[in-house]
């Protein structure tokens, strides 16, 4: 077998194929001269590993079996790529060697050895050969051939390789069946018209075995090397592995865990599943995208556009293996080079998030178990009575008649239309829950949603062509097929009928994995390789149909086996379209199940968490991960959904939750209430104060969402995004930033009055007082009594804030206060996006105002770059400047002297400006 072969086809610029007799590549690029043998340290590790195996064999009296072949002993433990990933199988030497793989049994119960595969690929395991490679207008096309069958059924012998140099920072590599069409994700992706001219990457190929070798040109860092293990491409088992240039890997959702993934034999499964967030389980959504920070502070990302059941195996080499059971291998690689740019480039492919209405960024309140519309209304009145900010009141499934969609209980929720009318009179909004399971047991003619859906053929069907019947809250249910465009029209008509009675403003789409209280259906699932595939990834329940519908269910676009992970996305798309047609305004939707491009249609909440301190902590890596996934409108149930909260936990959680981009307090039935009004005066005041702080920051938050919508910036942001060179930030997930400017350091433990937080190098200012903290990049202890949340403003930034009201609508009319945080060189910058807060496509239509604020040489300038009529109704009232080193003698507003105050902590304040937002101005201090 050959390691590398010369190709006779001409090579496009930016791509090389390794040749015999050419200068040797770095060791990371050989398989036959194994990629991991190039370093002296690893050679020593190999020798040590070999000696260890020999010693253990002596000590064990031979229980480890015969000595493996030398080629197997050459592979260090950390570089063993699993040849037998099936769970619940005791892998014997016979089973392993039947696959042509190496077998070395790890000794039992040795620390750190639990994940080391016993069965792994030898360096010479047969793979595909690159037979030809031809240049195309956008890149190249190649033919891959496998001459020896692998061990899964229906091996595909000839594959087509398509490479497109789409932009200077984006590479597209697709591998599929050369002879037969296969299912591909129906996602709109950009089509480039010309090839990138100056890519910041170089692409090499290994010929035999086939492998992709991708480098960052500027540094030579190898980002992908797929020669580390064989490519396998069978009909229902696709596997490709790569080395990684560092251990700093993020993304690959949806899971509960730390932001930074462990690479210690960690397998992450992607298969949408209804289960309370639990470590190591596959959760509600599927996001096959990772971001990796390289050792030098550069970043890149990889997206596998594939919606089938999948697992991603991480190992300490560092290395990664993608395993999916359908579709094609369709990779996009994003070169950054900084993490913010990687996420922007990712969203250029999947789509930028929708601009939310302003009210979506206010405080939301919900619970399952209000029991009646009057009880719900009472809670709203109590919030108003204490003047606690609230923009939206929600109801869970108890508002429905028998838990049936598009109904409400005419007894307990008789006053629901009046409640909604009252909310609207007070500038507030109403959101209710909907599930995709449609009750199927009502007498014919009594429940239009099912009757009409059945008549039009809009439900998931069994293999026999009958509606698949499962069980959800209303009992037996059929499931709407949102892959069918006709279903979108039926969904719209149902929502129109309900909106005529209850004029809701937003929708909460739940249970859309889709969730099923049965496994599969009332009749189970039929035998066959869709419901029982040759390989099942490590899904919770060990079956694709566990607590969902059968994978063999028929949908308009394909079988559920292919579409399962898209169910929530397709429902969100239908719901957004319906809301736009019904209300004519920006839709507000929160979805439980998600897939890449979801941000275009909805936000997400992190599911049915618990009222525990650790759940509060886990919400931070959760919301930061969804920032990476292009879904900035995200939050967790504040104070916890299930279980009973405590006053201290709920106070701390309200403080943290006030800085979730999507802030909702939600509670389950049969637990004591946990809205702010039910606590002691001290706790209630602390909750009210932090919500007022949030509302004061709405102009800043809204502007961050504008940048997310326009170019894919993150809203809630990990610290390493802003400080990628600072290694101390790479694992931080107990703090986060809003944009680049505001550092949030919450208390996440009981019984404390202080918190330790990392403060990156530079000057930071206390948000409330303007006092400065100069950090060399260190962990600091901060005072944190129960009523206080630590917020710090980064030097060089300008935050637009506003006097808060009790709704976003009331806040909108109040004067603005601009907070300037001077840098060490006495400069600062900020901006403000302003529109009517709810109309569709205001930026695209030019119906907005955009202002840029700048400070240099003791002169603050506000420049109006674009103006609209909304801005004429708002004034800038106050300018607060943090970090003014010495007291000014005078302050000039547009050249006219103006009164001011100056405090010992170097805060200069100029009040009573009363300048229209639509007018530029300058303030100078001398």
């Amino acid at each position: 077998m050959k390691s590398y072969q010369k190709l006779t086809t001409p090579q496009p610029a930016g791509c090389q194929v390794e040749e015999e007799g050419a200068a040797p590549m770095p060791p990371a690029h050989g398989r036959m001269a194994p990629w991991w043998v190039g370093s002296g340290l690893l050679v020593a590790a190999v020798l040590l590993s070999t000696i260890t195996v020999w010693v253990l064999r002596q000590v064990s009296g031979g229980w480890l079996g015969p000595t493996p072949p030398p080629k197997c002993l050459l592979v260090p433990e950390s570089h063993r790529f699993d040849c037998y990933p099936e769970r619940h199988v005791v892998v014997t030497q016979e089973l392993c060697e039947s696959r042509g793989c190496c077998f070395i049994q790890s000794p039992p119960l040795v620390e750190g050895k639990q994940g080391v595969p016993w069965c792994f690929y030898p360096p010479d395991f047969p793979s595909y050969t690159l037979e030809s490679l031809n240049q195309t207008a956008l890149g190249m096309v190649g033919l891959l051939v496998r001459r020896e069958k692998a061990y899964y059924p229906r091996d595909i012998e000839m594959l087509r390789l398509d490479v497109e140099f789409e932009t200077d920072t984006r590479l597209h590599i697709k591998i599929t069946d050369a002879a037969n069409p296969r299912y591909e994700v129906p996602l709109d992706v950009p089509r480039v018209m010309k090839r990138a001219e100056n890519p910041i990457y170089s692409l090499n190929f290994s010929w035999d075995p086939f492998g992709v070798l991708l480098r960052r040109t500027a540094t030579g860092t190898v980002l992908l090397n797929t020669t580390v293990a064989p490519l396998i491409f069978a009909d229902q088992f696709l596997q490709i592995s790569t080395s990684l240039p560092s251990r700093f890997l993020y993304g690959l959702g949806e899971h509960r865990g730390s932001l930074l993934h462990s690479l210690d034999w960690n397998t992450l499964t992607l298969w949408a599943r209804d289960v309370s967030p639990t470590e190591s389980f596959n959760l509600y959504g599927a996001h096959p995208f990772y971001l990796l920070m390289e050792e030098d502070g550069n970043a890149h990302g990889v997206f596998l556009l594939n919606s089938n059941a999948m697992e991603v195996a991480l190992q300490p080499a560092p290395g990664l293996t993608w395993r999916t059971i359908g579709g094609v291998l369709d990779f996009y690689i994003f070169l950054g080079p900084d993490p913010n740019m990687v996420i922007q480039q990712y969203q250029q492919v999947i789509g930028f998030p929708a601009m939310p209405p302003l009210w979506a960024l206010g405080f939301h309140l919900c619970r399952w178990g209000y029991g009646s519309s009057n009880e719900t209304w009472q809670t709203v009145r109590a919030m108003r009575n204490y003047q606690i900010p609230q923009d939206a009141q929600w109801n869970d499934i108890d508002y429905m008649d028998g838990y049936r969609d598009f109904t409400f209980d005419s007894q307990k929720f008789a006053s629901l239309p009046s409640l909604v009318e009252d909310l609207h009179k007070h500038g507030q909004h109403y959101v209710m829950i909907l599930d995709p399971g449609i009750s199927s047991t009502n007498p014919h003619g009594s429940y239009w949603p099912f009757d009409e859906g059945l008549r039009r053929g809009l439900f998931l069907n069994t293999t026999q062509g009958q509606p698949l019947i499962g069980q959800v809250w209303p009992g037996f249910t059929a499931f709407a097929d949102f892959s069918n465009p006709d279903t979108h029209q039926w969904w719209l008509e149902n929502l129109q009928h309900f909106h005529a009675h209850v004029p809701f403003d937003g929708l909460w789409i739940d249970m859309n994995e889709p969730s099923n209280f049965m496994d599969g259906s009332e009749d189970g699932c039929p035998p066959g390789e869709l419901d029982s595939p040759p390989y099942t990834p490590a899904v919770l329940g060990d079956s694709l149909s566990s607590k969902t519908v059968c994978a063999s269910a028929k949908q308009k676009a394909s079988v559920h086996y292919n579409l399962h992970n898209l169910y929530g996305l397709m429902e969100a798309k239908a719901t957004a379209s319906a809301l736009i047609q019904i209300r004519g305004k920006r839709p507000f939707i929160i979805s439980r199940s998600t897939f890449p491009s979801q941000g275009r249609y909805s936000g997400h909440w992190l599911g049915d968490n618990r009222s525990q301190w650790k759940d509060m902590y886990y919400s931070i890596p959760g919301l930061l991960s969804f920032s990476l996934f292009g879904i900035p409108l995200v939050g967790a149930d504040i104070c916890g959904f299930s279980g009973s909260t405590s006053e201290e936990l709920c106070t701390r959680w309200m403080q943290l939750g006030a800085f979730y981009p999507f802030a909702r307090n939600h509670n389950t039935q049969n637990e004591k209430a946990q809205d702010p009004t039910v606590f002691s005066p001290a706790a209630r005041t602390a909750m009210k104060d932090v919500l007022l702080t949030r509302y004061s920051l709405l102009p800043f938050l809204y502007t961050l969402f504008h940048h997310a919508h326009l170019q894919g910036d993150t809203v809630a942001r990990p610290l390493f995004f802003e400080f990628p060179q600072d290694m101390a930030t790479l694992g931080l997930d107990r703090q986060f930033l809003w944009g680049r400017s505001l550092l949030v350091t919450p208390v996440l433990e009981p019984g404390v009055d202080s918190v330790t937080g990392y403060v990156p190098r530079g000057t930071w200012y206390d948000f409330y007082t303007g006092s400065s903290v100069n950090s060399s990049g260190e962990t600091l202890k901060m005072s944190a009594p129960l009523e206080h949340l630590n917020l710090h403003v980064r030097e060089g930034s300008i935050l637009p804030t506003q006097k808060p009201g009790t709704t976003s609508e009331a806040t909108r009319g109040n004067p603005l206060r601009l907070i300037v945080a001077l840098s060490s060189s006495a400069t600062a910058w900020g901006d403000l996006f302003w529109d009517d807060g709810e109309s569709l496509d205001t930026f695209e239509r030019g119906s907005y105002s955009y202002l840029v604020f700048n400070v240099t040489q003791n002169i603050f300038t506000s420049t109006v770059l674009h103006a609209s009529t909304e801005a004429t109704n708002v004034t800038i009232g106050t300018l607060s400047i943090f970090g003014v080193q010495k007291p000014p003698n005078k302050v000039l507003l547009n050249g006219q002297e103006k009164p001011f105050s100056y405090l010992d902590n170097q805060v200069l304040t100029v009040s009573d400006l009363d300048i229209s937002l639509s007018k530029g101005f300058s303030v100078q201090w001398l």
Side-chain angles (χ1 to χ4, degrees), residues 230-470:
L231 167 65
I232 295 179
F233 201 122
D235 183 36
Q236 290 182 273
F237 185 89
L238 292 70
Q239 178 176 279
I240 191 167
S241 302
T242 182
S243 62
L244 299 171
S246 85
R247 295 179 61 94
F248 303 114
L249 184 135
Y250 312 85
L252 297 173
E254 182 177 3
H255 298 94
R256 165 178 280 207
S258 56
L259 180 64
L260 176 64
H261 285 302
S262 165
L263 268 58
D264 292 332
W265 308 106
N266 182 18
T267 297
L268 302 168
T269 307
L270 282 64
W271 182 248
R273 166 69 194 237
D274 173 6
V275 62
S276 295
T278 306
E279 298 87 320
S280 82
F281 288 178
N282 49 295
L283 302 182
Y284 310 107
H287 292 272
F289 166 81
Y290 70 77
L291 170 75
L292 189 134
M293 292 299 296
E294 298 152 36
E295 301 281 359
D296 54 12
N298 285 322
H300 71 273
V302 176
F303 171 42
L304 173 55
L305 178 50
N306 180 294
S307 61
N308 289 89
M310 182 189 307
E311 61 192 14
V312 185
L314 308 175
Q315 63 191 79
L320 175 150
T321 298
W322 299 93
R323 289 187 203 107
T324 183
I325 61 171
V328 301
L329 296 176
D330 193 359
F331 288 101
Y332 288 85
I333 301 100
F334 311 100
L335 275 288
D338 75 50
N340 292 289
M341 294 169 75
V342 171
I343 302 306
Q344 289 174 350
Q345 292 156 13
Y346 175 42
Q347 292 174 88
Q348 286 166 8
V349 170
I350 62 170
F352 296 125
M355 184 68 188
L358 178 64
W359 66 266
L361 307 184
F363 178 61
H364 301 249
L365 191 54
C366 185
R367 78 164 300 171
W368 179 20
Y370 283 120
S372 70
S373 48
N374 287 342
E375 186 73 24
T376 311
W377 207 339
Q378 220 167 320
T379 303
V380 173
R381 290 191 185 110
M383 290 286 285
R384 290 179 194 154
N385 184 47
Y386 288 114
Q387 296 183 298
I388 300 171
Q390 183 188 0
D391 259 81
Q393 180 61 50
W394 296 39
N395 277 125
D396 207 321
I397 56 174
D398 45 328
Y399 80 88
M400 298 179 186
D401 182 10
Y403 298 138
R404 291 188 295 272
D405 276 356
F406 314 113
T407 68
F408 68 95
D409 187 321
S410 60
Q411 303 298 311
K412 296 175 181 172
F413 281 81
S415 62
L416 184 57
S418 302
L419 164 60
V420 174
E421 184 184 356
D422 178 67
L423 288 168
H424 291 165
K425 278 182 184 171
H426 287 83
Q428 294 172 304
H429 297 82
Y430 181 69
V431 180
M432 87 262 182
I433 196 169
L434 277 180
D435 294 338
I438 303 297
S439 175
S440 62
T441 55
N442 308 278
H444 182 70
S446 67
Y447 185 51
W448 191 86
F450 177 75
D451 293 342
E452 191 63 16
L454 186 65
R455 188 182 73 78
R456 299 187 199 178
L458 304 180
F459 298 122
L460 271 66
N461 283 337
T462 65
T463 54
Q464 304 301 309
Q466 297 300 311
L468 182 146
I469 303 300

